[in-house]
Amino acid sequence: MVNSFFYKFAKWYFTKNALPYWIILLIDCTIVYLSTLLSCFVMHRPGYLTEYFVEITSLSGVSLIFFILAFRIFHTYSGFMRYSSIYDLQRIALSMLVGSAMVLSALYLFRSQDWLFPINGRDWVLMVLIATIVMFSVRMIISAVYENFMSSNTGKRVFIYGVKTGGVGLARFISDQPQYANYKVVGFISDKEDSDKKYLMGKRIYANNDKLAETMKALHVEILMVSPLKIDRLRNNEKFVNQLIEANIKIIFVNSSEEWDGVTPLDHARLKEVEVEDLLPRAEIQVDMEANGAQLRNKVILITGAAGSIGHEMVRQIAVYKPRKVVLIDQAETPMHDVRLEMKQKFPYIDAVTIVTSITKKRHMRDIFDAHRPDYVFHAAAYKHVPMMEDNPAIAIQNNCYGTRVIADLSVEFGVKKFVMVSTDKAVNPTNVMGCSKRICEIYVQSLNNAIVEGKVKGITQFVTTRFGNVLGSNGSVIPLFREQIQNGGPITVTHPDIIRYFMLIPEACKLVIEAGTMGKGGEIFVFDMGQPVKIVDLAKRMIKLSGAKDVQIQYTGLRDGEKLFEEVLNDNETTKPTHHPKIMIANVREYDYEKAKEDEEILLELSYTYDDMTIVKKMKEIVPEYKSQHSKFEELDK
């Protein structure tokens, strides 16, 4: 009968909203009054409380005015009692101390004799101690009842990966936030075997071993929350990730705007269910952005392709270091408008010039260089889609090759300090028009740099090239395409069961571009360590599993024109030289004479206006002998 009543009462209370603040305030005031009576009963002779009951009650009534004011200052009654934590103890203790100080000060000022009668100093200290303990205990009892009574029936069972500051901080964070009240932490995971079967915050610690996923499934765990300090460890444990996905255990990361320092409370963090790109194995990339940013501070920075995936992120990262001006160029009007609005909102103190135009308009480009006199140029503008450029080689030459030559030549003419070009791994032993066009760009800027060093061309500009593979989340990348196909019920289209690609996050790629650009002395082609390649079909399978979609099939469509199964990035020791950064190498490539490179480009540009695909590509193959077409109509030119 008692249990039934308790169950009904608890269900009624915990399914309602929070108690009105005046009820909590009334409870706290009652506790203070009763604590006053108890302290007098304990500290004095028998009968003292009865003898001076009226005086003690009167004094308590007056003192409550000051305690209510202190409760108001520290908001002790405005929270959810069911979500109480150690922080509530701090607020209660401070409010009691401040309230006591105000009461004693008032009594001292308005009563010259026996100013504490009938309560002495020891009584008062005991009262404050008792009231603080009881007020906090009431809150913790309600919180414990809520957690163990309600969460055991309706909560989502959660494991937390991490047992140090990150794991404990994450556990406290979700326990303090009403929006995560239905999450019940039932265990912690440690990478140390000797931590197995120990306890943290009253919950068992489990060792991270081969049986962990089975254990979690047996305990009906629905969610794994990952400490910010363990994210990279989880990413690189592909076997465990696959086991979690197979067991339908959701993985949740802390999604914070800034990297967590391991100490600051996770007060403003947000939890996000992981996407497939969050789980791709990769080593952490450390870049001293402050040192790099110091070189860009108070400078004029020009960025081409500023509305693209890489260019836009470059804008964000560079703007943090307060350049004097950023000149942003792109021919895509709507994305450029988005960049413009973002700069006004997030970086209003920076002079941001947004220009919608093409890098192939030489006269306009000269006017821009003349008006703004950039110190640094980051050249990210390019047509990049392999099948599109395979069908339009003339446009690849006019935009990628000629556009790069325009920006490079103007950089020399107007005394730009450094020119950083964003290239691609598809320029390595190219098999398609796009990759070859980027290799021709590399040849031109590298030969121009050498000509400046040798005194053949007058100028001070240092030309640096950066190469990397696919970036996750970029416009046209496979992940947005797969996500859309899954939402539509499938099938997911993969070109070949054995195709693999290197992937990198856009922010990571841009950090390395800035690092390479600032470290370069001119003439280098920097290659990034892209980590382990990913099989595209495995990526598709994992996305299907993470989405929870049923009966989504994978359909193989065959390699596209110019596409190859494996893309090299020249990051092995035989073809690269190391730098001070472990993720950045310098490629050993064939160098070209500047006059010859310039002549070849001029001929190629002239041929592009004939729009004769075979003639254009034939010349491209003469310039880049290692260009061998694959799955393309241009294969006959290689015979």
Side-chain angles (χ1 to χ4, degrees):
M1 184 70 178
V2 174
N3 289 338
S4 175
F5 172 77
F6 176 76
Y7 178 85
K8 290 179 180 178
F9 176 79
K11 186 175 182 181
W12 170 82
Y13 172 68
F14 290 128
T15 53
K16 300 294 181 183
N17 293 326
L19 287 173
Y21 77 89
W22 60 269
I23 293 182
I24 299 176
L25 180 60
L26 181 61
I27 292 172
D28 289 344
C29 291
T30 303
I31 290 172
V32 171
Y33 171 66
L34 294 177
S35 298
T36 304
L37 297 180
L38 180 60
S39 67
C40 291
F41 177 80
V42 171
M43 298 301 292
H44 294 278
R45 58 180 168 77
Y48 184 85
L49 179 60
T50 304
E51 182 179 352
Y52 295 104
F53 180 80
V54 175
E55 289 85 350
I56 293 171
T57 299
S58 299
L59 181 57
S60 296
V62 173
S63 66
L64 280 174
I65 297 173
F66 296 96
F67 281 114
I68 290 171
L69 179 60
F71 294 155
R72 170 67 178 172
I73 293 172
F74 292 97
H75 303 285
T76 59
Y77 54 82
S78 59
F80 292 79
M81 294 183 75
R82 67 190 70 170
Y83 304 128
S84 297
S85 68
I86 194 68
Y87 302 110
D88 293 281
L89 175 59
Q90 297 175 5
R91 289 198 297 269
I92 291 169
L94 286 171
S95 67
M96 289 301 298
L97 290 174
V98 171
S100 298
M102 289 191 291
V103 172
L104 296 177
S105 298
L107 290 174
Y108 180 77
L109 290 174
F110 292 105
R111 296 187 62 170
S112 58
Q113 295 180 352
D114 299 326
W115 62 286
L116 278 178
F117 180 82
I119 305 175
N120 61 37
R122 290 180 302 168
D123 301 339
W124 205 264
V125 171
L126 182 59
M127 180 275 291
V128 170
L129 183 62
I130 292 172
T132 301
I133 293 173
V134 173
M135 288 166 65
F136 181 67
S137 298
V138 167
R139 286 162 169 78
M140 294 311 296
I141 290 170
I142 292 175
S143 177
V145 170
Y146 177 73
E147 179 182 352
N148 292 291
F149 178 78
M150 294 301 290
S151 297
S152 61
N153 292 290
T154 61
K156 295 181 179 179
R157 298 171 67 82
V158 175
F159 262 34
I160 291 180
Y161 185 15
V163 296
K164 294 186 178 179
T165 311
V168 172
L170 186 53
R172 287 175 175 166
F173 171 72
I174 62 174
S175 68
D176 292 343
Q177 303 299 318
Q179 64 265 41
Y180 302 121
N182 63 331
Y183 288 8
K184 179 177 176 62
V185 178
V186 296
F188 289 85
I189 300 172
S190 173
D191 290 318
K192 295 182 179 180
E193 287 288 340
D194 58 3
S195 296
D196 191 32
K197 297 183 180 179
K198 294 182 179 178
Y199 283 80
L200 176 65
M201 300 178 69
K203 309 300 179 184
R204 180 179 162 180
I205 299 174
Y206 295 81
N208 188 0
N209 53 39
D210 292 339
K211 297 181 179 180
L212 179 59
E214 293 179 14
T215 301
M216 294 172 68
K217 190 173 182 179
L219 292 171
H220 306 291
V221 173
E222 300 176 63
I223 295 171
L224 174 65
M225 290 188 175
V226 186
S227 157
L229 304 179
K230 290 293 185 181
I231 290 176
D232 287 322
R233 187 72 175 259
L234 179 70
R235 280 194 187 115
N236 292 291
N237 190 346
E238 190 170 357
K239 181 180 179 182
F240 183 40
V241 169
N242 289 334
Q243 289 173 341
L244 292 171
I245 294 172
E246 288 297 322
N248 292 317
I249 296 173
K250 294 181 179 180
I251 304 170
I252 291 181
F253 286 172
V254 171
N255 183 27
S256 184
S257 59
E258 297 180 358
E259 293 183 4
W260 189 53
D261 59 10
V263 178
T264 307
L266 293 166
D267 295 334
H268 304 293
R270 291 180 294 111
L271 302 182
K272 57 165 283 189
E273 189 172 337
V274 298
E275 303 286 357
V276 68
E277 52 263 46
D278 297 316
L279 296 176
L280 290 179
R282 58 184 182 271
E284 183 179 3
I285 294 177
Q286 297 286 352
V287 174
D288 187 354
M289 290 301 290
E290 280 297 331
N292 297 330
Q295 297 189 43
L296 305 176
R297 190 169 289 113
N298 204 34
K299 299 292 193 301
V300 178
I301 313 295
L302 186 146
I303 301 174
T304 69
S309 304
I310 293 295
H312 194 168
E313 181 62 24
M314 296 283 293
V315 174
R316 294 188 186 102
Q317 293 194 13
I318 289 172
V320 171
Y321 299 101
K322 298 181 180 178
R324 178 158 46 92
K325 180 191 293 185
V326 289
V327 182
L328 311 177
I329 298 172
D330 204 293
Q331 61 182 344
E333 181 209 12
T334 299
M336 274 298 279
H337 182 254
D338 295 338
V339 173
R340 185 178 201 165
L341 293 178
E342 182 176 339
M343 290 299 295
K344 286 183 177 180
Q345 179 181 1
K346 295 182 178 180
F347 307 100
Y349 49 84
I350 295 177
D351 182 6
V353 181
T354 50
I355 303 171
V356 177
T357 188
S358 169
I359 57 173
T360 62
K361 297 181 183 296
K362 187 172 183 178
R363 181 173 177 178
H364 193 192
M365 289 299 106
R366 173 174 275 110
D367 290 342
I368 292 169
F369 272 77
D370 188 31
H372 302 290
R373 303 282 171 159
D375 300 296
Y376 284 79
V377 169
F378 289 90
H379 177 48
Y383 287 141
K384 64 180 182 179
H385 291 288
V386 169
M388 292 296 292
M389 294 304 99
E390 204 70 12
D391 293 338
N392 299 276
I395 304 305
I397 297 303
Q398 292 168 18
N399 187 79
N400 293 0
C401 299
Y402 177 63
T404 296
R405 179 152 61 100
V406 167
I407 302 300
D409 290 347
L410 290 173
S411 295
V412 175
E413 181 180 341
F414 288 93
V416 169
K417 179 180 179 181
K418 192 165 290 185
F419 176 105
V420 182
M421 187 180 83
V422 176
S423 188
T424 171
D425 56 357
K426 294 176 178 64
V428 184
N429 300 323
T431 61
N432 51 66
V433 168
M434 195 282 286
C436 185
S437 71
K438 294 297 285 183
R439 177 65 189 127
I440 293 171
C441 295
E442 293 180 355
I443 290 169
Y444 184 79
V445 299
Q446 188 179 39
S447 64
L448 178 54
N449 185 89
N450 294 341
I452 292 172
V453 172
E454 295 166 2
K456 297 178 182 178
V457 173
K458 186 178 180 180
I460 63 168
T461 308
Q462 296 174 337
F463 288 88
V464 174
T465 298
T466 60
R467 279 182 187 166
F468 52 89
N470 301 278
V471 287
L472 293 168
S474 66
N475 299 327
S477 66
V478 295
I479 288 178
L481 173 63
F482 287 173
R483 189 172 289 127
E484 181 181 354
Q485 290 175 334
I486 291 171
Q487 289 172 351
N488 293 332
I492 284 184
T493 54
V494 178
T495 57
H496 194 281
D498 296 323
I499 194 168
I500 63 175
R501 289 291 182 265
Y502 290 94
F503 286 100
M504 181 177 284
L505 290 178
I506 294 174
E508 293 176 344
C510 291
K511 284 181 181 179
L512 291 176
V513 169
I514 295 172
E515 171 85 358
T518 53
M519 79 161 67
K521 303 301 181 184
E524 305 98 336
I525 295 180
F526 288 106
V527 178
F528 298 163
D529 180 356
M530 298 289 293
Q532 297 298 315
V534 177
K535 204 169 184 179
I536 299 300
V537 67
D538 291 341
L539 184 68
K541 290 176 181 177
R542 181 173 285 188
M543 287 190 69
I544 294 171
K545 193 69 179 178
L546 280 173
S547 72
K550 305 296 182 184
D551 302 322
V552 174
Q553 303 299 314
I554 295 175
Q555 184 180 90
Y556 297 107
T557 58
L559 290 173
R560 298 174 299 176
D561 290 351
E563 190 172 43
K564 52 185 175 180
L565 290 176
F566 180 83
E567 291 173 346
E568 309 98 318
V569 289
L570 283 182
N571 60 356
D572 59 84
N573 293 331
E574 295 180 359
T575 54
T576 62
K577 296 180 291 185
T579 69
H580 75 270
H581 195 290
K583 290 287 182 181
I584 303 176
M585 287 72 67
I586 300 174
N588 294 315
V589 297
R590 173 187 172 190
E591 295 188 354
Y592 288 72
D593 175 71
Y594 169 67
E595 292 299 332
K596 174 62 175 170
K598 182 179 179 181
E599 179 185 351
D600 285 339
E601 279 231 4
E602 289 173 346
I603 294 171
L604 195 55
L605 179 63
E606 187 176 344
L607 289 174
S608 75
Y609 290 113
T610 68
Y611 296 96
D612 184 333
D613 292 353
M614 285 297 180
T615 302
I616 295 167
V617 174
K618 182 179 179 181
K619 180 60 180 178
M620 295 175 73
K621 291 178 179 290
E622 290 176 6
I623 298 172
V624 184
E626 64 270 26
Y627 168 27
K628 304 296 180 185
S629 299
Q630 288 185 13
H631 308 284
S632 171
K633 65 182 181 182
F634 303 119
E635 285 181 85
E636 65 178 74
L637 296 172
D638 298 322
K639 297 177 182 178

